[in-house]
Amino acid sequence: MALNKTNKISKKLSIQNKLIIINMSVVIITLFFASTIAVVGEYRNQHDFFLKSIQIQAKIIANNTTATLVFKDKTGAEKILEAFTVSPDIHSATIYDDFGKVFASYIKQEKTNPNNKYDNIIKSIQGSSNIFNNQFHINESIILEDEPIGTLYIQVDTSRIYADIFNYLVYTVIIALTCLIFASLLLFKLSKNITRPLLRLTELMSTVIKNDDYTIRIENHSEDEIGVLSEGFNKMLAYIQVNDERLEHELSERNKTEEHLDKLAYFDVTTNLPNRHFFHKQLDQAVKRAISSNQKMVLLFLDLDNFKTVNDTAGHKTGDLLLKQASSRLTGVLRQNDYICRIGGDEFAIIIENVNDISDISTVTKKCIEILSNPFELDGNIFFIGASIGISICPDDTSTSNDLLINADMAMYEAKTNGKNNYQYYNHGMNLKHSHKFQIESDLRHAISMNQLELYYQPQIDSNSDQIIGFEALMRWTHHENGIISPDVFIPIAEKTGLILPLGKWLIETACIDANQFIDSGITDFTVSINISGIQIRDKSFIKNITDSLSSTGLDPRHLEIELTESTLMDDSDLVIKKVNALKKLGIKIAIDDFGTGFSSMSYLKSFPVSKLKIDKGFITGLPNSNEDTAIVRAIIAMSHGLNINVIAEGVERQDQVDLLKELSCDMFQGYYYAKPVPIKDLIK
Ligand code: C2E
Ligand code: CA
Ligand code: CA
């Protein structure tokens, strides 16, 4: 218990106090023993000397009194005894004859010694203790011719020796105390020399912790252990500072990238206009505002005429330039409060709120068509395009944003069929059948049964071995009249109409059959990636479709990979998490498609068992010249690897892109540089 308490107190004490306590204890013990030895030694010396001198005096007096005893000269004897008056310690002396009778005696006249201020103290000590017996006696025989003729009896008083010893003790204590005071002063000063650097070190440490400032250093002049400690501390701070700065830099880079990715989630890179994602949100809100404020709101659906020709003849780069110029021309004729968004390849949507006079809309629409009818000069060539615009009014035509969009789209289609470069207001007479989308939809319904759909496969390459490690299944539709229709056109329609469900079922089954064909042709280590849209994964038969296809084809699930976009994962994510986990349980891999174009938040990836992340080709196109794209791709790869997720780059078209991607530790590649999507027969022998 006592030991525990001492330990507790000792823990609270500063090092300086501990040092002082230890050293002072040693000094006190040393002084105590030294003083005790000195006092005891002095006592013994004095005592021996005193005894000897009394014995000598007794002998001399005894010899001198022999004659007085022989001649019975009592007066002479007393005279001799009086010699003891010079010996203050002799209290009394008596001579006895050989019959034992008192012959002569001497008694010291008691007078207190004014010089001995300790007399009273000694006496009180003597009185209270038996140890200090202040008297003793000596018998000395008086001899004549070797025969004792009497005895000299001397009573000695020891008070003086004790007083001397006491004086000695007092001086010793004073000297010891003086030594103690000097020692403590010295100790205090010396211990400060030791503890000062330690204190500085602890103060510095608190400052570092408090201010989070790792640039501070301790000044070190000593080479002892504290010097070594200070140097080690400085080195540690330097190390932390470097790491801290690197981390800060990485963090700011990451924040910049995330900010950029966030922007990309809502903005179209080519035109810098808000994208489809942003548009849907704006449209929903604009419709709500129009209804609650009893105001009219108008949606213009604008599709460029002849854009495809520009893209096909002059290339995508020129196409992008045209889109940029077209969008800035449109922004120029619109009011500041109007929203313009790019919602598709060459499709723009314009939201105009608080419309009082519908004729104003015709004016704006005409201006848009006019401005786009002016020639475009791109890379030294002149291009003429135009625009067809469909108009739908809320709440006159409809009060839902979805219908407003369908209406405007139908009106636009009507404007196009009426000879392009004009506009058309939606009216209820416009039959859905007039919409080209309706046409596609109705054709799509029969596409599966008419064997018009086919899966093409695009190889995926491992960056280390340059070997094929997978194939992405991409749907192709060969229309009996229109030829090949791009999945970019028919997949959104299939999603909107629900046709994606039978289409998806067909896709899963075909992919499983084809995967078995890859195995049969001798390819063993591979995955077939299939694109699954949000509607499909939320469908209650989705998991069953997969298990049915797996069991009917006998395919090992490890060969199957599902590609999901970020927006699919984010929407309704509880249900999606369940489905994704069920797929994972089956042994099917999950890849995130088009990463960087959706929400692009790395944090949500942690909630999903994702094994692969596909960087959208929009970022790869800019490599290696665009610093911004390089920074984004670098950050995405670093962050994915941090989460143990492999990264594949999509849309790799050139060697310099491959070189940079390899340098950035990208794990896999997919793109025209290696192979375009091709029918399965082109891939197996
Ligand atoms: P995605 O999933 O991003 O597919 C990659 C697209 O990039 C494919 O276009 C592919 O042909 C194209 N591509 C590949 N390498 C390169 C390259 O080096 N340069 C360029 N410029 N493009 C490259 P595709 O086949 O036209 O597919 C377009 C989109 O349609 C796909 O984008 C996907 O979102 C969707 N899709 C295709 N097949 C299916 C499907 O079976 N189901 C679903 N739900 N969606 C599909
Ligand atoms: Ca894909
Ligand atoms: Ca993709």
Side-chain angles (χ1 to χ4, degrees):
M1 273 282 278
L3 208 71
N4 268 351
K5 214 169 179 182
T6 324
N7 271 345
K8 259 187 198 162
I9 295 169
S10 143
K11 269 181 196 164
K12 282 186 186 163
L13 282 174
S14 67
I15 288 193
Q16 187 182 10
N17 287 343
K18 278 182 199 157
L19 271 175
I20 290 174
I21 288 173
I22 293 168
N23 284 309
M24 288 305 284
S25 308
V26 172
V27 170
I28 289 170
I29 291 168
T30 313
L31 282 174
F32 175 75
F33 278 110
S35 310
T36 311
I37 290 166
V39 171
V40 170
E42 179 65 17
Y43 170 74
R44 287 187 61 143
N45 279 346
Q46 286 237 22
H47 193 268
D48 288 356
F49 179 75
F50 180 71
L51 200 63
K52 267 210 177 92
S53 89
I54 298 290
Q55 278 169 345
I56 290 166
Q57 285 180 52
K59 219 163 210 121
I60 294 166
I61 298 293
N63 283 345
N64 287 345
T65 52
T66 313
T68 59
L69 204 62
V70 172
F71 298 108
K72 310 274 188 227
D73 180 3
K74 189 180 173 197
T75 321
E78 280 172 351
K79 274 244 161 68
I80 291 167
L81 287 181
E82 266 173 27
F84 282 133
T85 46
V86 293
S87 231
D89 302 320
I90 291 173
H91 181 259
S92 67
T94 312
I95 297 170
Y96 293 93
D97 62 15
D98 53 351
F99 300 109
K101 279 172 82 188
V102 174
F103 174 65
S105 65
Y106 157 81
I107 292 179
K108 185 179 144 191
Q109 294 300 306
E110 278 299 345
K111 48 178 176 185
T112 45
N113 183 358
N115 294 330
N116 194 351
K117 48 186 181 278
Y118 305 116
D119 247 13
N120 289 334
I121 307 169
I122 302 287
K123 284 206 177 103
S124 75
I125 295 170
Q126 285 165 348
S128 66
S129 164
N130 293 330
I131 306 164
F132 300 100
N133 188 3
N134 63 341
Q135 284 191 350
F136 70 91
H137 62 266
I138 284 174
N139 285 329
E140 186 67 42
S141 297
I142 303 167
I143 310 280
L144 178 68
E145 291 174 353
D146 295 337
E147 283 294 323
I149 55 164
T151 308
L152 174 63
Y153 175 85
I154 299 174
Q155 217 165 7
V156 185
D157 189 349
T158 53
S159 313
R160 196 183 54 85
I161 313 179
Y162 287 128
D164 282 354
I165 295 298
F166 189 77
N167 277 342
Y168 190 80
L169 179 72
V170 170
Y171 291 135
T172 313
V173 169
I174 289 170
I175 291 168
L177 284 176
T178 315
C179 287
L180 204 66
I181 290 166
F182 274 115
S184 54
L185 286 174
L186 204 68
L187 249 170
F188 192 70
K189 211 165 158 47
L190 289 179
S191 64
K192 262 198 161 170
N193 282 349
I194 296 174
T195 53
R196 199 179 295 122
L198 272 177
L199 274 177
R200 273 213 303 266
L201 210 62
T202 42
E203 271 167 18
L204 180 104
M205 198 176 70
S206 330
T207 321
V208 168
I209 293 170
K210 200 172 137 203
N211 302 342
D212 238 350
D213 180 1
Y214 299 106
T215 56
I216 304 171
R217 296 289 178 274
I218 190 159
E219 257 180 58
N220 174 35
H221 305 296
S222 64
E223 288 176 9
D224 57 8
E225 288 89 337
I226 295 175
V228 175
L229 191 69
S230 308
E231 209 166 304
F233 193 67
N234 280 346
K235 274 187 189 161
M236 198 172 74
L237 282 177
Y239 179 75
I240 296 175
Q241 189 189 347
V242 170
N243 273 330
D244 200 48
E245 281 167 3
R246 210 191 54 213
L247 211 75
E248 224 166 75
H249 178 74
E250 265 177 27
L251 222 80
S252 84
E253 283 286 302
R254 199 163 282 192
N255 283 344
K256 261 193 240 161
T257 308
E258 287 204 349
E259 243 172 56
H260 187 85
L261 291 176
D262 264 356
K263 193 176 171 234
L264 288 178
Y266 292 100
F267 287 86
D268 165 50
V269 217
T270 317
T271 59
N272 224 10
L273 288 179
N275 61 15
R276 174 180 279 273
H277 191 79
F278 187 82
F279 164 72
H280 283 298
K281 283 193 174 173
Q282 290 306 319
L283 185 64
D284 282 345
Q285 284 167 13
V287 167
K288 274 185 200 147
R289 275 197 295 270
I291 290 167
S292 66
S293 65
N294 230 351
Q295 289 271 359
K296 283 192 202 311
M297 164 255 133
V298 171
L299 174 69
L300 308 187
F301 196 119
L302 187 153
D303 190 294
L304 298 180
D305 297 329
N306 310 322
F307 176 72
K308 203 172 175 298
T309 326
V310 179
N311 234 1
D312 291 348
T313 54
H316 283 272
K317 258 194 181 163
T318 314
D320 283 355
L321 271 177
L322 191 142
L323 286 172
K324 228 180 255 180
Q325 282 194 18
S327 63
S328 67
R329 282 189 193 184
L330 285 171
T331 323
V333 296
L334 293 171
R335 292 178 312 179
Q336 208 158 22
N337 290 345
D338 303 333
Y339 289 110
I340 171 160
C341 312
R342 181 181 174 205
I343 56 168
D346 59 352
E347 291 170 344
F348 296 84
I350 298 160
I351 300 169
I352 303 170
E353 290 185 81
N354 304 325
V355 180
N356 296 322
D357 191 347
I358 290 298
S359 63
D360 290 348
I361 297 303
S362 304
T363 319
V364 178
T365 312
K366 276 182 200 149
K367 268 192 200 166
C368 289
I369 293 172
E370 210 176 284
I371 200 89
L372 294 175
S373 309
N374 293 337
F376 283 83
E377 196 185 329
L378 305 163
D379 290 333
N381 295 312
I382 304 287
F383 294 93
F384 288 92
I385 59 160
S388 305
I389 301 178
I391 306 166
S392 185
I393 303 161
C394 169
D396 297 5
D397 301 336
T398 174
S399 297
T400 71
S401 58
N402 199 35
D403 285 349
L404 201 65
L405 188 61
I406 293 172
N407 291 350
D409 187 10
M410 275 195 283
M412 183 278 292
Y413 190 68
E414 184 86 5
K416 257 203 199 309
T417 40
N418 287 348
K420 295 182 178 173
N421 218 23
N422 67 52
Y423 66 94
Q424 193 70 49
Y425 280 93
Y426 167 79
N427 63 62
H428 294 294
M430 266 177 202
N431 198 308
L432 197 62
K433 275 185 186 143
H434 290 135
S435 156
H436 73 304
K437 285 184 184 164
F438 176 79
Q439 198 59 48
I440 290 177
E441 188 204 328
S442 80
D443 289 350
L444 197 54
R445 280 187 198 281
H446 304 108
I448 301 174
S449 56
M450 299 188 42
N451 244 348
Q452 289 177 351
L453 287 174
E454 196 182 352
L455 282 186
Y456 274 36
Y457 289 92
Q458 187 176 31
Q460 296 175 334
I461 314 295
D462 179 71
S463 81
N464 286 323
S465 64
D466 278 334
Q467 297 292 309
I468 294 177
I469 43 137
F471 305 92
E472 178 174 5
L474 293 157
M475 231 184 258
R476 294 289 177 266
W477 179 18
T478 316
H479 192 267
H480 57 281
E481 277 174 15
N482 301 342
I484 290 181
I485 300 178
S486 162
D488 279 335
V489 174
F490 70 85
I491 295 287
I493 297 172
E495 282 177 348
K496 232 179 244 172
T497 52
L499 274 175
I500 193 75
L501 297 180
L503 227 56
K505 194 166 182 276
W506 169 85
L507 161 80
I508 294 164
E509 201 168 311
T510 314
C512 288
I513 294 167
D514 289 350
N516 273 336
Q517 283 203 58
F518 284 125
I519 296 171
D520 293 344
S521 74
I523 307 170
T524 49
D525 259 347
F526 72 96
T527 49
V528 163
S529 311
I530 53 176
N531 293 283
I532 297 296
S533 72
I535 297 161
Q536 266 174 288
I537 196 159
R538 278 194 288 275
D539 175 35
K540 55 183 186 307
S541 318
F542 175 65
I543 299 286
K544 190 177 176 298
N545 287 347
I546 293 219
T547 46
D548 283 354
S549 296
L550 284 173
S551 58
S552 69
T553 56
L555 179 73
D556 185 338
R558 76 185 171 90
H559 290 300
L560 207 56
E561 184 173 70
I562 305 286
E563 288 191 12
L564 299 167
T565 61
E566 293 165 273
S567 38
T568 303
L569 282 181
M570 289 298 286
D571 291 351
D572 206 357
S573 65
D574 260 2
L575 176 70
V576 179
I577 287 179
K578 264 190 208 156
K579 294 277 178 91
V580 167
N581 283 327
L583 291 173
K584 181 83 189 164
K585 241 184 176 170
L586 286 173
I588 295 165
K589 298 184 188 74
I590 311 292
I592 308 291
D593 203 3
D594 305 340
F595 188 82
T597 58
F599 294 86
S600 312
S601 146
M602 295 303 290
S603 51
Y604 80 86
L605 287 182
K606 287 183 208 144
S607 351
F608 294 98
V610 172
S611 57
K612 199 193 270 180
L613 188 147
K614 305 188 77 176
I615 304 180
D616 188 66
K617 51 179 177 288
F619 298 105
I620 308 302
T621 317
L623 301 186
N625 299 325
S626 157
N627 289 339
E628 201 175 20
D629 285 347
T630 310
I632 291 173
V633 171
R634 186 197 303 274
I636 294 176
I637 294 173
M639 288 191 270
S640 306
H641 286 172
L643 293 170
N644 251 337
I645 298 173
N646 284 325
V647 182
I648 181 164
E650 288 186 302
V652 177
E653 293 182 346
R654 293 188 315 272
Q655 175 70 49
D656 55 1
Q657 292 171 331
V658 175
D659 293 341
L660 179 61
L661 284 164
K662 279 193 177 175
E663 203 184 303
L664 298 178
S665 305
C666 186
D667 306 290
M668 289 163 255
F669 310 121
Q670 180 183 343
Y672 294 168
Y673 178 73
Y674 292 99
K676 288 197 170 182
V678 287
I680 186 165
K681 62 176 169 40
D682 294 357
L683 289 166
I684 54 178
K685 292 153 213 157

